[in-house]
Amino acid sequence: MGITYLILGGFLLSNIHLVKLQTSSIKQWRGKGTTPNLDSIVLGRCYDYTEVVNPSVGMKNCSEILEAFKKAFIKKDPCSVLPSDYELYINLTFHDIPSSKSLFWENNKQLVHKLSDKTLRFMPLGDTLTGWLGDNLNWCGTANDPGIEYSSCPTTAECEDNAEESFWRIASVTYAKHSSGQIQIMLNGSTPGGAFPVPSFLADYEIPNFQRDRISSINIWVMDDVNGADIDSCGGNSIAVLETLLASKNFSYNCVNNYRPVRLLQCVDFPTHSDCTISASGSINKAGVTIFLQLFCLIINYGNQIA
């Protein structure tokens, strides 16, 4: 009988332990948990950026950068991470942003990065070393071992002082402060509710930190999605709010609807769509798209031959 109780007790303790493990792995937050292999990804991205993508930034200590990044949030309450916790990381990843290559945006990330082409045309925040390392990743800490939470992370709606929100806030402020020359702002004119959202990173952290003595002018490009609704345009709705804001800060600006070079880039993925044809007057309409695509391919092939 004693042996039977011992075995039964061991069985019950084992199952209680299993239940505890299963309970601890249940999602507590609405956001995705930390990206698996985060260390390897950040370290690899650092070497890729400094050696291949943009070696002009000079030598960077990637191991030190990784440790500074992790130190900001590891073994901390996931809702108690401040932008200032990333100051060392910001200092270690900082590099100059070429004049007139800054590109700010809201609600059109994919198009922005197609245009920037890994810093070749422009350098949005995600194409700086600071942003490159964290782009499209998820992370947060926990006070318990191992110090990183992989099951779930808090969204900004759940708590503002979370690891990712604080990261992008200080990164956005730093990027805005060091942008110069002509500034580009690309907004999505098909966004429900308006192209210039308030609140947003652009409205709350970037525009307030534009340096008047460093910026010569601002280009606003309001890009509708191909086959998307024309909800917002220059001079109206939320764009009028943006224009008024820039004017109040004495910035010179110019606004263009469906800026043609960017529109043509959109149309590479929709070559036969009626929005992507070119009329005799030069506006995108119903004739000449084949010629444009042929010229585009010739330019690409020529560039590959001389590279």
Side-chain angles (χ1 to χ4, degrees), residues 23-31 78 142 144 149 151-154 158:
T23 301
S24 65
S25 64
I26 295 174
K27 287 189 66 171
Q28 298 178 6
W29 305 103
R30 293 200 295 268
T142 174
N144 304 319
E149 181 58 61
S151 62
S152 63
C153 291
E158 293 174 293

Side-chain angles (χ1 to χ4, degrees), residues 31-208:
K32 293 182 179 179
T34 299
T35 303
N37 304 305
L38 183 69
D39 287 26
S40 299
I41 294 172
V42 172
L43 196 60
R45 284 184 176 186
C46 183
Y47 288 125
D48 179 45
Y49 189 91
T50 56
E51 298 292 340
V52 180
V53 176
N54 190 15
S56 66
V57 301
M59 296 294 295
K60 299 289 184 181
N61 189 326
C62 290
S63 296
E64 192 176 358
I65 287 172
L66 173 61
E67 291 308 310
F69 172 69
K70 291 169 58 180
K71 185 179 179 180
F73 67 91
I74 196 170
K75 293 188 176 180
K76 292 182 180 179
D77 182 319
C79 286
S80 299
V81 180
L82 301 176
S84 58
D85 292 330
Y86 289 99
E87 284 183 356
L88 178 57
Y89 170 86
I90 293 293
N91 292 335
L92 292 174
T93 57
F94 180 80
H95 58 81
D96 289 334
I97 303 167
S99 179
S100 299
K101 292 193 73 172
S102 291
L103 175 56
F104 296 83
W105 58 273
E106 286 289 346
N107 297 313
N108 47 23
K109 180 177 181 178
Q110 185 177 10
L111 179 58
V112 163
H113 286 285
K114 280 184 180 181
L115 177 63
S116 68
D117 196 11
K118 297 180 179 179
T119 77
L120 293 181
R121 298 189 188 94
F122 294 97
M123 188 180 288
L125 174 56
D127 281 1
T128 65
L129 179 58
T130 298
W132 185 271
L133 303 189
D135 198 26
N136 294 322
L137 299 181
N138 304 106
W139 66 90
C140 66
T142 174
N144 304 319
D145 289 333
I148 296 180
E149 181 58 61
Y150 290 97
S151 62
S152 63
C153 291
T155 63
T156 301
E158 293 174 293
C159 60
E160 291 188 358
D161 292 333
N162 67 70
E164 291 179 46
E165 178 78 9
S166 292
F167 175 92
W168 290 112
R169 283 180 180 178
I170 190 171
S172 294
V173 169
T174 304
Y175 178 70
K177 285 183 176 179
H178 292 89
S179 294
S180 63
Q182 278 196 339
I183 299 298
Q184 285 65 231
I185 298 177
M186 190 190 298
L187 301 173
N188 189 330
S190 297
T191 302
F196 178 58
V198 179
S200 65
F201 278 91
L202 178 61
D204 297 337
Y205 302 105
E206 293 172 338
I207 292 177

Side-chain angles (χ1 to χ4, degrees), residues 139-279:
W139 66 90
C140 66
T142 174
N144 304 319
D145 289 333
I148 296 180
E149 181 58 61
Y150 290 97
S151 62
S152 63
C153 291
T155 63
T156 301
E158 293 174 293
C159 60
E160 291 188 358
D161 292 333
N162 67 70
E164 291 179 46
E165 178 78 9
S166 292
F167 175 92
W168 290 112
R169 283 180 180 178
I170 190 171
S172 294
V173 169
T174 304
Y175 178 70
K177 285 183 176 179
H178 292 89
S179 294
S180 63
Q182 278 196 339
I183 299 298
Q184 285 65 231
I185 298 177
M186 190 190 298
L187 301 173
N188 189 330
S190 297
T191 302
F196 178 58
V198 179
S200 65
F201 278 91
L202 178 61
D204 297 337
Y205 302 105
E206 293 172 338
I207 292 177
N209 285 288
F210 284 175
Q211 304 298 296
R212 182 65 190 83
D213 59 337
R214 294 174 57 88
I215 296 176
S216 58
S217 61
I218 298 174
N219 296 314
I220 305 169
W221 301 330
V222 185
M223 305 303 303
D224 294 336
D225 293 333
V226 173
N227 199 33
D230 182 12
I231 295 175
D232 221 341
S233 302
C234 295
N237 300 324
S238 73
I239 300 300
V241 175
L242 172 59
E243 292 173 335
T244 300
L245 176 61
L246 295 177
S248 70
K249 295 178 177 293
N250 295 317
F251 285 112
S252 173
Y253 67 88
N254 179 55
C255 186
V256 179
N257 293 318
N258 293 322
Y259 179 55
R260 189 179 178 193
V262 180
R263 191 59 161 174
L264 293 177
L265 184 60
Q266 287 178 298
C267 287
V268 171
D269 292 329
F270 302 92
T272 60
H273 196 280
S274 59
D275 287 353
C276 294
T277 54
I278 305 174
S279 69

